[in-house]
Amino acid sequence: MKLAELPKNLIISHLKHWGLKLKIGAFNVCIYSPIDTVSEHLLVLYGDYDIVNDNDFIDFHTVVKSPSIIRRYFRPQVNFSFDGYFPFKPLPYTQASAMFEWGLNWCIANHSHQYLVIHAAVVERNGKAFIFPGNPGSGKSTLCAALVCNGWRLLSDELTLVSVVDGLVYPAPRPISLKNKSIEVIRALSPDAVIGSVVNNTAKGAIGHVRPPTESVKLASVPAMPAKLIFPKFLDGSKTILATLSKSRALLKLVENCFNYNILGVNGFNCVSDLVNDSDCFNLEYSSLNETLLLLTDLSD
Amino acid sequence: MNGEISIELPMDGKISCRFYLDECVIYNQFSAETHLIGGVGAEIFNVISKKSITRNQLLNYIRNIFIVEMDCDLETHMDNLLQEYQDLGLLVVSMNYSA
């Protein structure tokens, strides 16, 4: 059963009392939150996700709520916890939905060592996975949103999961996080894109999340073959330049963008080098999304 | 009794190498460090990843690949690299004695 098939009051009730259990890619996530903005966020953006059966194993038990009753009313704050552990300091109450997304990123990045976890967006077209590693501000999420709005399959906008066993990229499609100007850029590029409530004044500025396409959520258990490894860099006013990157340099750049490379040891090295061997590697400088979309679409044909 | 300097990868298999054109990337399981190595260094690892070799054999091999103005520069450069890689635990330099 999909989340959207449940009555709204039942969803809210689950969130407040027993936890709402969703299947997100390879992970079963239980979310407990009495906060209205979190339930609204889930209703708008997670409607296509399957509800997990009661007896199924839960990978991540998460809670998003106020640290205390006082903090619900006086300078209201919100906390994220995972199995009773609080990885972050509290944030303003209005940032609860963004905190849920960041918290879930943290859970996956720190507890999924069956995968090499790369700080990268990943999309797929014609059976080819394009991986875009990059630091915040590199434009990877904007590029990812633009591609997904143009029919590419979303695997993830933030965490690329490469199996250390078979080298395939496993999806964990979730709402695409856009920041500041990117929100309006994607609205203009794709007026049909569903963007949840914008959360203002976060540490990263204004944050809006794009609902993942239904088809991408439906294919969330289907892995993809890595094909292109592209390091994007948004440079205002720049031409679109796709330059071949040597595999040795790509390997080192990729290592810098992995969350658990050191934890995986030699398995991490083998996984990274196999990924580089299986992929064409590029640096991409861009400012025009339309030009870049055409270029990447050509590359995927 | 004559001595020969022998160069090889550590026998414990804790060094992994991947070769790409004229560069190689090496992972050291002991230090968990990843090294990008080019030029003469990449050739050294290209050779010793296949079999152990004496210093003189290695020098001859390197001389055939790299043409430099002063031959002693290459020899000094290679010895400096061998010392550096040994310090990093990436290879083993030892003296073999034969009667």
Side-chain angles (χ1 to χ4, degrees):
Chain A
M1 179 182 264
K2 311 280 180 213
L3 181 69
E5 294 166 17
L6 281 182
K8 184 177 174 179
N9 58 356
L10 189 59
I11 293 171
I12 292 169
S13 189
H14 270 276
L15 279 166
K16 280 185 179 169
H17 303 294
W18 314 290
L20 180 69
K21 296 168 184 169
L22 292 180
K23 183 163 185 60
I24 300 175
F27 307 105
N28 291 340
V29 181
C30 179
I31 310 149
Y32 170 84
S33 180
I35 298 174
D36 291 345
T37 51
V38 174
S39 52
E40 196 59 34
H41 179 82
L42 294 168
L43 283 163
V44 172
L45 302 174
Y46 282 84
D48 293 322
Y49 290 74
D50 283 325
I51 304 285
V52 175
N53 294 325
D54 274 345
N55 295 329
D56 286 354
F57 180 80
I58 297 296
D59 295 280
F60 306 122
H61 288 272
T62 64
V63 177
V64 185
K65 65 174 190 176
S66 292
S68 64
I69 290 180
I70 295 169
R71 282 299 194 181
R72 203 180 296 170
Y73 303 103
F74 175 71
R75 289 185 186 166
Q77 287 185 331
V78 63
N79 248 336
F80 174 88
S81 68
F82 157 66
D83 278 354
Y85 175 68
F86 295 84
F88 311 116
K89 288 182 177 170
L91 289 178
Y93 194 81
T94 51
Q95 298 179 18
S97 58
M99 194 177 206
F100 164 69
E101 294 294 342
W102 294 330
L104 193 50
N105 284 343
W106 180 89
C107 290
I108 294 172
N110 287 282
H111 301 88
S112 309
H113 303 314
Q114 66 273 43
Y115 303 108
L116 177 75
V117 185
I118 309 168
H119 189 200
V122 56
V123 292
E124 179 261 330
R125 185 172 182 268
N126 290 336
K128 299 170 188 168
F130 282 46
I131 301 170
F132 300 98
N135 294 324
S138 61
K140 65 180 187 307
S141 289
T142 314
L143 191 54
C144 173
L147 289 164
V148 164
C149 291
N150 275 270
W152 292 56
R153 171 159 76 111
L154 172 70
L155 283 87
S156 175
D157 86 309
E158 189 73 15
L159 302 171
T160 294
L161 307 174
V162 182
S163 166
V164 292
V165 176
D166 60 21
L168 297 175
V169 182
Y170 281 76
R174 287 171 43 214
I176 302 168
S177 170
L178 296 177
K179 293 190 283 285
N180 304 314
K181 284 181 186 170
S182 296
I183 299 168
E184 288 315 312
V185 168
I186 294 301
R187 273 204 179 114
L189 188 81
S190 182
D192 295 337
V194 176
I195 301 180
S197 298
V198 174
V199 181
N200 292 304
N201 303 318
T202 76
K204 300 177 179 188
I207 300 280
H209 288 92
V210 182
R211 180 178 168 128
T214 301
E215 194 63 18
S216 297
V217 178
K218 199 192 275 182
L219 295 174
S221 59
V222 181
M225 187 76 82
K228 311 286 179 196
L229 190 56
I230 301 173
F231 295 85
K233 191 173 184 182
F234 175 82
L235 281 176
D236 207 7
S238 77
K239 290 181 179 174
T240 307
I241 302 170
L242 187 70
T244 301
L245 178 65
S246 77
K247 288 188 184 280
S248 48
R249 306 281 157 159
L251 197 160
L252 279 222
K253 280 184 90 167
L254 193 58
V255 165
E256 289 169 12
N257 285 282
C258 291
F259 285 107
N260 58 349
Y261 175 76
N262 285 334
I263 292 169
L264 294 175
V266 72
N267 290 332
F269 177 72
N270 289 335
C271 192
V272 169
S273 38
D274 289 347
L275 177 59
V276 166
N277 286 343
D278 293 343
S279 308
D280 301 318
C281 307
F282 302 96
N283 278 326
L284 169 68
E285 277 185 18
Y286 79 99
S287 64
S288 162
L289 267 182
N290 286 327
E291 262 184 42
T292 310
L293 287 176
L294 285 175
L295 180 74
L296 295 176
T297 302
D298 278 351
L299 207 58
S300 71
D301 284 338
Chain B
M1 210 161 69
N2 295 319
E4 266 191 330
I5 296 171
S6 166
I7 298 143
E8 59 192 345
L9 288 180
M11 296 296 283
D12 52 20
K14 298 292 185 189
I15 300 298
S16 304
C17 309
R18 293 287 184 279
F19 296 94
Y20 303 98
L21 299 174
D22 57 350
E23 291 182 320
C24 71
V25 182
I26 297 182
Y27 181 73
N28 181 350
Q29 284 189 53
F30 276 125
S31 63
E33 286 175 334
T34 309
H35 305 268
L36 174 64
I37 294 173
V40 174
E43 283 306 328
I44 292 172
F45 283 99
N46 188 21
V47 171
I48 67 168
S49 66
K50 292 166 191 151
K51 59 174 185 178
S52 67
I53 192 168
T54 67
R55 178 192 170 276
N56 289 341
Q57 287 171 329
L58 181 62
L59 184 58
N60 285 336
Y61 176 82
I62 298 289
R63 273 182 182 143
N64 286 333
I65 295 176
F66 294 92
I67 298 160
V68 290
E69 224 166 81
M70 296 286 287
D71 194 51
C72 61
D73 287 349
L74 186 61
E75 189 172 356
T76 308
H77 181 50
M78 188 189 86
D79 284 338
N80 288 340
L81 287 176
L82 290 175
Q83 182 65 55
E84 185 184 336
Y85 299 149
Q86 189 180 26
D87 292 346
L88 288 167
L90 302 180
L91 52 73
V92 176
V93 179
S94 55
M95 185 67 86
N96 285 340
Y97 293 100
S98 55

